[in-house]
Amino acid sequence: MGGDYGAFKTVRKIGQTILQDIKPKFIVYVSAHWQSKADNLIEVSVPKSFGKSGLENPLIYDFYGFPQYMYQEQFHSECDISVANDIVNTINHSNTGLKAKLSERGIDHGVWVPLKIAFPNDDLVKNQIPLIQVSLTRNDYDFDSNFKLGELLAEYRSKGGVIIASGMTVHNLGDMRNPGPKPYNEEFTKLLNDILLTKQQNKLGKFKAILQDAKQKELLLKAHPSLEHFLPIIVALGAAEQNGDDVEKIKQLYNNSVESLGWGIYQFGDLL
């Protein structure tokens, strides 16, 4: 599945910060690898038959053609059904046009692989920190709905939670067949950072404008032939903007461009 040692070290450090400094009551996680089954629908994961088999989040090994040992990897975490239900109710009682439901499901590798790095010793279970995965919407080009999702999830930070949105700054797996530097990688990362890291109003509008500019849209689709790995940044932006000046406190913790993959890690707002 590829990897980057600098990203590995940064994610490990983030895990330590979460455990030692933030000490959250729960984690809400949005992954590139789960889009809902309908436009304007948000799904919230709970373990299958959770009433009978307990609260542990089963793992989904949603990657193919890799060595067998990778399908034996383990990561342990538990869901909090009350938080999951609360997220569904918050979305359904909002005036955003979004609808939500619980879905019996495990957590995909966009969740458990990074968290296995961040928390390598079953730290979430040991510290009684539940993990709840929330989907993206189905439509790759619906930046508005995913931004609204972030706005709604923002209140869970004030309730003691941490919100993690997991994608990649550049994600073009098809181009991995063609070794060598990809100019679009650094070009798109610059475009992304010019919006995220600059103090300006209406950052969502700047991202939506990319879709209307022929050259910028071409660059976006080179970096992301499908947009599911880009959308988590829109969710995170919505959560930050809802928390006032957090949108002006976006920090790049790490970034590296490796051929057709971009490993960008950002912090939205203050830690405490």
Side-chain angles (χ1 to χ4, degrees):
M1 289 190 289
D4 180 274
Y5 185 56
F8 178 97
K9 291 195 298 182
T10 303
V11 170
R12 177 62 58 83
K13 184 177 180 180
I14 290 170
Q16 293 171 349
T17 299
I18 289 173
L19 291 177
Q20 297 172 10
D21 299 329
I22 301 176
K23 300 177 182 177
K25 295 179 180 178
F26 54 85
I27 294 173
V28 177
Y29 202 112
V30 178
S31 160
H33 291 272
W34 190 19
Q35 291 176 280
S36 70
K37 295 180 175 66
D39 295 347
N40 299 322
L41 174 66
I42 303 298
E43 299 180 59
V44 180
S45 177
V46 292
K48 293 182 178 180
S49 302
F50 59 86
K52 298 178 181 178
S53 59
L55 297 177
E56 179 155 1
N57 291 308
L59 304 188
I60 302 174
Y61 298 87
D62 53 335
F63 47 87
Y64 310 97
F66 291 90
Q68 184 59 36
Y69 75 88
M70 298 182 74
Y71 301 94
Q72 298 170 354
E73 293 284 349
Q74 294 294 312
F75 175 77
H76 298 288
S77 67
E78 294 185 347
C79 184
D80 186 315
I81 306 302
S82 63
V83 175
N85 273 313
D86 194 74
I87 293 171
V88 168
N89 289 332
T90 294
I91 294 171
N92 284 334
H93 288 90
S94 71
N95 61 357
T96 60
L98 295 175
K99 297 298 180 184
K101 68 173 187 175
L102 295 180
S103 294
E104 291 190 352
R105 184 183 186 274
I107 55 174
D108 58 64
H109 83 273
V111 180
W112 64 263
V113 169
L115 292 187
K116 186 177 175 68
I117 296 169
F119 309 113
N121 300 307
D122 292 337
D123 300 295
L124 295 187
V125 174
K126 291 177 180 177
N127 289 274
Q128 297 182 314
I129 302 172
L131 170 65
I132 303 94
Q133 182 174 4
V134 176
S135 79
L136 298 162
T137 64
R138 179 173 66 177
N139 187 346
D140 276 10
Y141 291 87
D142 188 357
F143 292 5
D144 284 314
S145 290
N146 287 292
F147 185 85
K148 291 174 184 175
L149 171 62
E151 290 183 310
L152 293 171
L153 293 179
E155 72 173 70
Y156 291 91
R157 297 172 73 182
S158 64
K159 293 180 177 181
V162 165
I163 301 171
I164 300 176
S166 173
M168 294 192 76
T169 48
V170 174
H171 186 265
N172 187 333
L173 295 183
D175 239 1
M176 293 178 69
R177 295 189 293 265
N178 306 305
K182 307 295 187 295
Y184 62 75
N185 194 328
E186 292 188 0
E187 291 172 11
F188 181 74
T189 299
K190 182 180 184 305
L191 175 62
L192 178 69
N193 284 346
D194 284 347
I195 297 173
L196 280 183
L197 303 179
T198 302
K199 289 187 177 182
Q200 56 182 305
Q201 299 296 315
N202 192 20
K203 294 185 179 185
L204 173 63
K206 299 294 193 303
F207 281 123
K208 291 169 63 177
I210 293 174
L211 300 176
Q212 307 304 320
D213 182 289
K215 289 185 177 179
Q216 289 188 344
K217 184 176 180 180
E218 180 182 11
L219 179 60
L220 169 64
L221 293 179
K222 285 181 178 178
H224 293 276
S226 57
L227 300 185
E228 75 284 342
H229 277 78
F230 173 73
L231 290 176
I233 205 78
I234 301 296
V235 177
L237 187 65
E241 191 152 305
Q242 190 68 6
N243 278 283
D245 62 356
D246 278 0
V247 76
E248 303 296 342
K249 297 178 180 178
I250 302 174
K251 302 175 184 177
Q252 179 177 261
L253 303 181
Y254 180 79
N255 215 317
N256 190 28
S257 299
V258 183
E259 297 194 359
S260 62
L261 298 176
W263 304 85
I265 302 173
Y266 300 88
Q267 174 187 314
F268 289 74
D270 294 325
L271 290 178
L272 300 172

